[in-house]
Amino acid sequence: QGSQAAPDCQRPGEVGIEFLPGSFKDAAVKSNLAQTATFTVMGASASLAGPTNGGSIDVVALNANKYISVRYLPSHGNLVNELTLNDNDVVFTLTLPGGSTLGVSGPGTKVGDMYRYALPDTFVFIPGEVTVAFAAGTWSDTGGRTNLAATEHFTVLGATASLADPVGSSRIDVTLINQRGFIDIRFA
């Protein structure tokens, strides 16, 4: 029984609390063992709203939309300072299958409680996992707290094709392939 003052959690991050062995007892007078407990203090952050973190979207639909939607989450008790969103900062970077990247800049267009960030007309998604890395410090809430860096993912789904015969990465004699006169392709 008893408590101590909570740690001063002015900055986001993980907080650890160490319970020393024998520092308290239960009703049956049994002492505690050594233990460490942790919790995370959240700050202002951004999150994918469309497509969603961990979700998937059809390649044709995503390429037709030409935008990514983001939801801004201020720290507890505060609102998003929308004045800090209306600049040309790179808000997030997309890393596509194959490793190419695209920095996406503001300002976004507010739609409901989200912001849409337009992608270049020439930009084309391909099927595979896309990583979205949100840059730290690109916006703040009304409490003056700036956003934390974060990384989220989504999967782009779509039709794919692969070699069935000859099998991809295999070798075949030039005379044999020319005698056959065909290759088999598997569409999925």
Side-chain angles (χ1 to χ4, degrees):
Q1 281 185 330
S3 63
Q4 292 184 339
D8 184 15
C9 300
Q10 294 298 312
R11 285 178 279 164
E14 187 171 276
V15 176
I17 299 175
E18 197 171 308
F19 298 96
L20 301 175
S23 59
F24 60 89
K25 297 177 182 173
D26 65 11
V29 193
K30 292 184 181 179
S31 294
N32 69 294
L33 300 174
Q35 182 181 4
T36 301
T38 61
F39 62 91
T40 302
V41 176
M42 298 299 294
S45 62
S47 183
L48 285 170
T52 58
N53 184 35
S56 61
I57 188 168
D58 179 70
V59 68
V60 174
L62 186 56
N63 284 326
N65 288 345
K66 291 289 188 205
Y67 64 81
I68 300 288
S69 294
V70 174
R71 183 170 284 117
Y72 292 102
L73 308 166
S75 60
H76 181 72
N78 293 295
L79 302 171
V80 173
N81 179 350
E82 294 189 19
L83 296 175
T84 63
L85 296 175
N86 295 323
D87 55 33
N88 293 322
D89 289 345
V90 172
V91 177
F92 56 90
T93 300
L94 300 172
T95 301
L96 307 168
S100 63
T101 60
L102 174 70
V104 179
S105 301
T109 302
K110 188 171 183 181
V111 179
D113 66 343
M114 300 175 276
Y115 282 80
R116 283 187 183 164
Y117 289 88
L119 302 174
D121 288 338
T122 57
F123 184 77
V124 177
F125 283 97
I126 60 171
E129 184 174 90
V130 175
T131 301
V132 181
F134 291 98
T138 59
W139 64 277
S140 65
D141 63 23
T142 55
R145 291 186 175 93
T146 59
N147 70 294
L148 303 172
T151 302
E152 297 190 351
H153 307 268
F154 64 89
T155 302
V156 179
L157 304 174
T160 60
S162 61
L163 284 173
D165 186 22
V167 176
S169 300
S170 67
R171 295 179 178 198
I172 188 168
D173 181 73
V174 67
T175 304
L176 179 60
I177 193 72
N178 285 328
Q179 286 175 346
R180 286 177 54 181
F182 67 91
I183 60 172
D184 288 330
I185 299 175
R186 180 179 305 119
F187 297 97

